[in-house]
Amino acid sequence: MNLTQQYADTLPELVSPCLPTPVTQPNWIYFNDALAGQIGLSRDNVSLQALAGNAVFPDSQSVAQAYSGHQFGQFNPNLGDGRAHLLGEVQIGKQIADLALKGSGRTPYSRGGDGRAALGPMLREALISEHLHALGIPSTRSLAVVGTGESVYRQFGPESGAILARIASSHIRVGTFEHCAARGQIDTLKALFEYTCQRHYSDTKDPMDLLRQVSLRQAELIAQWMSVGFIHGVMNTDNMTLSGESIDFGPCAFMDGYNSAQVYSSIDQQGRYAYQNQPGIGQWNLTRLAECLITLYPNGERDERVEQAKSVLAEYEIDYQSTYNERMRQKLGLAELPDAILADWLALLSEQQADWTLAHTMLFEPDDWIELFAKPEQAQAWRESWLALNPDPDLARQHNPWVIARNHLVDHALRMAEDGDVEPFTRLLDHLKTPFDKPESEEWIRPASAGFAATFRTFCGT
Ligand code: AMP
Ligand code: MG
């Protein structure tokens, strides 16, 4: 494996060279053999010490990346990797990707933080990122989780520490652009724009073109989240990538019963990042990106460019809706999706809070399917109008997972791992990596008990 330093070399104003802080007792918790193979690593040739931050990879010049961001709508000019180190870029096929450590010690951006991460949240990121990838949804990837042998102190007391090794198409965020724009660093912003185009959108030469490309990818990404019932939970602008990959899995969760206002995060009191708000928040974040990109044009051109940006952002809504409808068409196994069938379906699920995943996956098992509904007559009436459209079981099967990262399964696996038993995590991850295969045991398919679902909350204390 050869590491390059393109980002750090091209954008020195946006990084701070700094090394990970060594840990006392590194130990393997998870290693992603398939992903490692793609970058020329294996269990035998990779150094545990290097993934724990105790040794440096040859050619690595570790840096922390600077960024800003709107967090819950408020601008914070001073963020940056407070506990992550970019070790350099690796080659995956024809693409380059970042190799970074998370939880690897303090950096100049740590503010009051300890630079560390707890085991549970790093395993959660490994589960969710690999699961999204297996669902065909763009995501950063998890290469390994290493235990540090040290404790970290969080909301509920001491926890085991861990480091995640992450592979990402890049770590360029909307907040990276905001960082340059807020400081009036126009030359750096221009260099960042050019580097982003070269890395992710090679045909793009114009800032409004970049906005258009990023908007399209984000529209597609969020439509795919919606189609599997995924709630990111903290869609701040620093957690939105220019590459269009999902990133930073803090209080995220998959919804069981369909409820468009669903929020799981304990810190999201207003429901800003509720399930149904995600497409609109995507557009809000892209508007922040647009504001940065406008400043790349000469003063005299800006009014006209603002109008152009508005029409690009309006197209986002169209792209989102068409991707979402396409996904729903496939999930329902239909050649065409009449608006009324979709609207009635969502109204039915919403009214009865039926399980989002199973209501789709079991469409062709009518006896089990009808059991998902408290008021079966209504469901049966919808079913008849749907059947009249000649749905195709194979199409639906290809687009409806059996297994999703259900909150009670994730919660159990993480609790057991925190108590020293990684086996439930490993078994769950195996199923999450093959979500379209029907598992033999019901335990991987069943929704949580009503009591669990009603009280489940995710915490940001990562
Ligand atoms: P997140 O909520 O994980 O996206 O993090 C928001 C910001 O806080 C990022 O700049 C992180 O690097 C930083 N951060 C989160 N946890 C810590 C920590 N334990 N120590 C230092 N910085 C942190
Ligand atoms: Mg983040």
Side-chain angles (χ1 to χ4, degrees), residues 18-34:
C18 61
L19 288 171
T21 306
V23 297
T24 48
Q25 259 184 354
N27 54 90
W28 287 120
I29 293 181
Y30 168 60
F31 188 75
N32 187 337
D33 296 282

Side-chain angles (χ1 to χ4, degrees), residues 58-318:
D59 309 323
S60 168
Q61 288 163 29
S62 151
V63 298
Q65 291 173 291
Y67 49 86
S68 305
H70 279 84
Q71 300 181 307
F72 289 89
Q74 299 299 314
F75 186 60
N76 185 339
N78 295 309
L79 290 171
D81 296 330
R83 51 157 173 183
H85 294 80
L86 173 64
L87 302 182
E89 298 99 18
V90 293
Q91 199 77 30
I92 302 189
K94 291 205 168 78
Q95 304 286 331
I96 72 162
D98 286 357
L99 171 61
L101 302 181
K102 182 165 173 180
S104 41
R106 303 193 78 238
T107 77
Y109 311 105
S110 297
R111 298 169 290 156
D114 61 3
R116 292 300 183 192
L119 176 63
M122 295 304 101
L123 291 180
R124 171 189 284 272
E125 174 154 345
L127 288 173
I128 304 293
S129 62
E130 291 308 301
H131 183 46
L132 288 178
H133 175 74
L135 288 166
I137 302 178
S139 175
T140 64
R141 307 287 309 277
S142 297
L143 176 67
V145 177
V146 169
T148 61
E150 297 173 0
S151 294
V152 295
Y153 295 86
R154 294 291 180 265
Q155 198 175 356
F156 304 112
E159 293 185 40
S160 313
I163 294 172
L164 173 85
R166 174 152 90 182
I167 302 279
S169 279
S170 83
H171 285 83
I172 303 171
R173 305 155 190 266
V174 170
T176 319
F177 281 76
E178 291 179 286
H179 185 87
C180 307
R183 286 168 175 72
Q185 295 172 337
I186 194 75
D187 292 340
T188 309
L189 182 65
K190 187 157 186 288
L192 175 65
F193 160 70
E194 283 166 3
Y195 181 73
T196 305
C197 294
Q198 176 216 315
R199 188 151 169 180
H200 297 298
Y201 303 95
S202 54
D203 302 335
T204 304
K205 299 273 178 295
D206 178 80
M208 284 302 110
D209 262 0
L210 178 66
L211 182 65
R212 173 81 192 103
Q213 299 297 328
V214 177
S215 296
L216 178 60
R217 288 212 199 161
Q218 285 295 338
E220 289 172 350
L221 177 69
I222 296 170
Q224 295 186 72
W225 287 355
M226 299 296 280
S227 76
V228 297
F230 178 70
I231 306 172
H232 182 283
V234 57
M235 288 177 71
N236 295 333
T237 55
D238 52 301
N239 291 334
M240 185 188 253
T241 60
L242 272 281
S243 67
E245 282 180 347
S246 317
I247 195 169
D248 280 359
F249 307 97
C252 61
F254 282 77
M255 149 173 105
D256 286 310
Y258 182 69
N259 167 14
S260 63
Q262 185 70 59
V263 178
Y264 289 108
S265 169
S266 60
I267 58 166
D268 191 1
Q269 305 283 341
Q270 313 293 320
R272 179 180 172 87
Y273 299 135
Y275 174 77
Q276 70 192 357
N277 292 350
Q278 297 186 114
I281 287 290
Q283 191 183 40
W284 193 90
N285 289 349
L286 290 163
T287 309
R288 306 288 80 75
L289 176 65
E291 288 163 357
C292 301
L293 291 172
I294 295 281
T295 66
L296 288 169
Y297 294 103
N299 261 326
E301 252 183 62
R302 289 196 189 156
D303 289 348
E304 170 196 334
R305 297 297 185 175
V306 167
E307 292 312 310
Q308 196 183 350
K310 283 185 189 162
S311 60
V312 172
L313 293 165
E315 271 179 84
Y316 163 90
E317 285 176 39
I318 299 167

